[in-house]
Amino acid sequence: MTTLADDRAGIGAESEDPQVLAFEDLSVTFTTQFGDVRAVRGITLDVRAGEVVALVGESGSGKSVTSMTALGLLPKNARTTGVVRVGDTALGDLDARGLRRMRGHDVAMVFQEPMTALNPVLTIGLQLTEALELHGIALGAQAEARAVELLRTVGIPEPERRVKQYPHELSGGQRQRVVIALAISCEPRVIIADEPTTALDVTVQAEILDLLRSLKDTLRTGILLITHNMGVVADMADRVAVMLEGEIVEVGSAQSVLTDPQHEYTRRLLGAVPRLGARMGEVRTTGEPTSVAPVVDGSPPVLALNDVVIEYQSLGKRAFRAVDSVSFTVEPGEIVGLVGESGSGKSTIGRCTLGLIPAASGTVSVFGEDLGSLRRRPLKALRKRIGVVFQDPAGSLNPRLPVGDCIAEPLVVHGERSAQKRLARVHELLDAVELPRSATNRYPHELSGGQRQRVSIARALVLDPELLVADEPTSALDVSVQASVLAMFTALQERYRFACLFVSHDLAVVDALAHRVVVLQNGRVVEQGLREEVLHAPQEEYTQRLLAAAPVPDPVEQRRRREARHALLARLGDEVTELKGAGALFGERSGGDV
């Protein structure tokens, strides 16, 4: 196995593949009203043709600022020193016109959220042809034909129809494929992929990673991959650079960094990654494992769904059935993981459990009461016993209220008139979620993402709920922040003894927390049972696919899992995602061989 010393000795050495992106002693400083902020501190890193270099680290470490320098997109208050090169061109030598010509043609970007990267008022075809015509690749009918071929290349079915559609008419995975098609449309030397799979479920993520891998192998494109998902790093990266507070603290091959990390920070990041196969409640942090509260036997279910059907009505169209004949229970003190791909009905069931949308048929019983038969006053009393944690704390917390008021809001709604009692309860919960009491008077935007999610959990617990509905509460968090939030979550569950319906697409997180697991596909339950049975010995084909698509932070093990997944897909008659016809499409520009 290559050692870290060998990797460091080889950095900057001559390679057969040309250098397509290089940062040489790069520093970035932002001028603010509170003084200068050094976001990047003298980093040196390169990416070569056909190579994937992963840049990892927590939020605020300087990853995205580094990537923005390669596109010349830093704000006016940024000052840079050092050199950024794309190929043989130093960006500091280019004027505004030269930068515009370089973007897309020499270096392209794949953003985390395709809905913000795509123009919602333009069709997919117009956005693709715009890029082609702007850089003089193709014009008119030729550009339209090339746009269709680009969509076919990235594996989008019926590309002739899709070019006429708008971004909102495509699924999340299809939108991300469109962004990748845009990125490769002008055959750039290097692509910067900034968290390209964070918002995707495991199967779509695996497809996008297969596509990116095929891209770098087929077109010899260099990729700078920015991510906090160590499984994605193991699946994609040739080399890894770890950033901390604007500095690169460790660089090496993916194998050496992920399996034999030398820096304490790298070891801490890897130790925080939840892994499939961990025993129940073992959230891998630097401290002792936190034990999940045992299931309480002999009591009636806190939540029971019996043949529940949920439909969405659309004017002039047939009702869309989002959930079909779903049945399961959540017992007192139990965590039930609800897993499945995007669109499988997970969040719809969560909203129905909260009484926010009705069931078309079947029954939803909460604490033994039929939710559908309750009127306003008894429903309000029932909701007092239910807490909810949403995926995005920035969207679920009122930005105009200080943190203390956000946490105390349910107390006000349910009639607690004493300001002194409300403040005491807020302080108690801030202590419980390990936030300082001084956060009471701060606003949500003044807190980090992990701190905001802790505030959301505190607000959910303010009324001592007996049932907690958590909808993807950790999906957008860094691994170390996620680990601390999960460890805190299990400690709170043991302390307050609430039951929990935990909605997630991260199977490793569910494996670490849940007692039982319910697997959804297209609104139906395909498998449910004890965590050990469902996640470690799945019986259903769909569950096997989900588990095969979940990456692990070990390059050798991940390669074995990827090959096993491809074999499973072949056995089931599915295609592995790859660039289709890329040689023919791009050979016309590159003069034959790509």
PDB file of all heavy atoms in Angstrom, residues 71 105 111 138 199 251 305 450 565 568:
ATOM      1  N   LEU A  71     -12.845  29.919 -11.140  1.00  0.00           N
ATOM      2  CA  LEU A  71     -13.814  30.446 -12.102  1.00  0.00           C
ATOM      3  C   LEU A  71     -13.822  31.975 -12.124  1.00  0.00           C
ATOM      4  O   LEU A  71     -14.577  32.577 -12.875  1.00  0.00           O
ATOM      5  CB  LEU A  71     -15.222  29.946 -11.752  1.00  0.00           C
ATOM      6  CG  LEU A  71     -15.456  28.447 -11.931  1.00  0.00           C
ATOM      7  CD1 LEU A  71     -16.640  27.977 -11.115  1.00  0.00           C
ATOM      8  CD2 LEU A  71     -15.674  28.117 -13.402  1.00  0.00           C
ATOM      9  N   HIS A 105     -15.786  26.755 -21.246  1.00  0.00           N
ATOM     10  CA  HIS A 105     -14.959  26.197 -22.308  1.00  0.00           C
ATOM     11  C   HIS A 105     -13.760  25.448 -21.744  1.00  0.00           C
ATOM     12  O   HIS A 105     -13.427  24.343 -22.205  1.00  0.00           O
ATOM     13  CB  HIS A 105     -14.490  27.320 -23.239  1.00  0.00           C
ATOM     14  CG  HIS A 105     -13.825  26.828 -24.491  1.00  0.00           C
ATOM     15  ND1 HIS A 105     -12.488  26.493 -24.541  1.00  0.00           N
ATOM     16  CD2 HIS A 105     -14.328  26.578 -25.731  1.00  0.00           C
ATOM     17  CE1 HIS A 105     -12.188  26.072 -25.760  1.00  0.00           C
ATOM     18  NE2 HIS A 105     -13.279  26.116 -26.497  1.00  0.00           N
ATOM     19  N   PHE A 111     -22.992  22.311  -9.707  1.00  0.00           N
ATOM     20  CA  PHE A 111     -23.369  22.811  -8.396  1.00  0.00           C
ATOM     21  C   PHE A 111     -24.166  21.776  -7.606  1.00  0.00           C
ATOM     22  O   PHE A 111     -24.696  20.800  -8.153  1.00  0.00           O
ATOM     23  CB  PHE A 111     -24.194  24.097  -8.531  1.00  0.00           C
ATOM     24  CG  PHE A 111     -23.405  25.265  -9.057  1.00  0.00           C
ATOM     25  CD1 PHE A 111     -23.442  25.595 -10.401  1.00  0.00           C
ATOM     26  CD2 PHE A 111     -22.628  26.028  -8.214  1.00  0.00           C
ATOM     27  CE1 PHE A 111     -22.718  26.666 -10.891  1.00  0.00           C
ATOM     28  CE2 PHE A 111     -21.896  27.107  -8.689  1.00  0.00           C
ATOM     29  CZ  PHE A 111     -21.947  27.423 -10.035  1.00  0.00           C
ATOM     30  N   ALA A 138     -21.560  25.244 -31.668  1.00  0.00           N
ATOM     31  CA  ALA A 138     -22.567  24.897 -32.673  1.00  0.00           C
ATOM     32  C   ALA A 138     -23.617  26.004 -32.686  1.00  0.00           C
ATOM     33  O   ALA A 138     -23.820  26.706 -31.690  1.00  0.00           O
ATOM     34  CB  ALA A 138     -23.206  23.550 -32.362  1.00  0.00           C
ATOM     35  N   ALA A 199     -27.973  16.301  -2.076  1.00  0.00           N
ATOM     36  CA  ALA A 199     -29.428  16.295  -1.946  1.00  0.00           C
ATOM     37  C   ALA A 199     -30.088  15.080  -2.595  1.00  0.00           C
ATOM     38  O   ALA A 199     -31.316  15.006  -2.664  1.00  0.00           O
ATOM     39  CB  ALA A 199     -30.002  17.576  -2.572  1.00  0.00           C
ATOM     40  N   VAL A 251      -2.611  15.672   2.477  1.00  0.00           N
ATOM     41  CA  VAL A 251      -2.821  15.323   1.068  1.00  0.00           C
ATOM     42  C   VAL A 251      -2.244  13.936   0.839  1.00  0.00           C
ATOM     43  O   VAL A 251      -1.192  13.591   1.374  1.00  0.00           O
ATOM     44  CB  VAL A 251      -2.130  16.325   0.118  1.00  0.00           C
ATOM     45  CG1 VAL A 251      -2.413  15.956  -1.339  1.00  0.00           C
ATOM     46  CG2 VAL A 251      -2.578  17.747   0.377  1.00  0.00           C
ATOM     47  N   LEU A 305     -50.364   3.111  11.539  1.00  0.00           N
ATOM     48  CA  LEU A 305     -50.949   3.323  10.212  1.00  0.00           C
ATOM     49  C   LEU A 305     -51.512   1.999   9.732  1.00  0.00           C
ATOM     50  O   LEU A 305     -50.818   0.972   9.772  1.00  0.00           O
ATOM     51  CB  LEU A 305     -49.903   3.833   9.217  1.00  0.00           C
ATOM     52  CG  LEU A 305     -49.565   5.331   9.246  1.00  0.00           C
ATOM     53  CD1 LEU A 305     -48.781   5.693  10.496  1.00  0.00           C
ATOM     54  CD2 LEU A 305     -48.786   5.736   8.002  1.00  0.00           C
ATOM     55  N   GLY A 450     -25.261  23.327  11.994  1.00  0.00           N
ATOM     56  CA  GLY A 450     -25.431  22.357  13.075  1.00  0.00           C
ATOM     57  C   GLY A 450     -26.087  22.954  14.296  1.00  0.00           C
ATOM     58  O   GLY A 450     -26.929  22.325  14.946  1.00  0.00           O
ATOM     59  N   ARG A 565     -22.586  -4.142  -6.917  1.00  0.00           N
ATOM     60  CA  ARG A 565     -23.806  -3.433  -7.327  1.00  0.00           C
ATOM     61  C   ARG A 565     -24.001  -3.532  -8.839  1.00  0.00           C
ATOM     62  O   ARG A 565     -25.115  -3.783  -9.318  1.00  0.00           O
ATOM     63  CB  ARG A 565     -23.721  -1.971  -6.906  1.00  0.00           C
ATOM     64  CG  ARG A 565     -24.836  -1.103  -7.467  1.00  0.00           C
ATOM     65  CD  ARG A 565     -24.753   0.342  -6.996  1.00  0.00           C
ATOM     66  NE  ARG A 565     -25.654   1.176  -7.756  1.00  0.00           N
ATOM     67  CZ  ARG A 565     -25.314   1.808  -8.876  1.00  0.00           C
ATOM     68  NH1 ARG A 565     -24.075   1.713  -9.344  1.00  0.00           N
ATOM     69  NH2 ARG A 565     -26.183   2.528  -9.533  1.00  0.00           N
ATOM     70  N   LEU A 568     -25.270  -6.874  -9.605  1.00  0.00           N
ATOM     71  CA  LEU A 568     -26.676  -6.984  -9.223  1.00  0.00           C
ATOM     72  C   LEU A 568     -27.571  -6.324 -10.269  1.00  0.00           C
ATOM     73  O   LEU A 568     -28.594  -6.891 -10.679  1.00  0.00           O
ATOM     74  CB  LEU A 568     -26.901  -6.335  -7.853  1.00  0.00           C
ATOM     75  CG  LEU A 568     -28.357  -6.246  -7.361  1.00  0.00           C
ATOM     76  CD1 LEU A 568     -28.938  -7.647  -7.144  1.00  0.00           C
ATOM     77  CD2 LEU A 568     -28.445  -5.429  -6.074  1.00  0.00           C
TER      78      LEU A 568
END
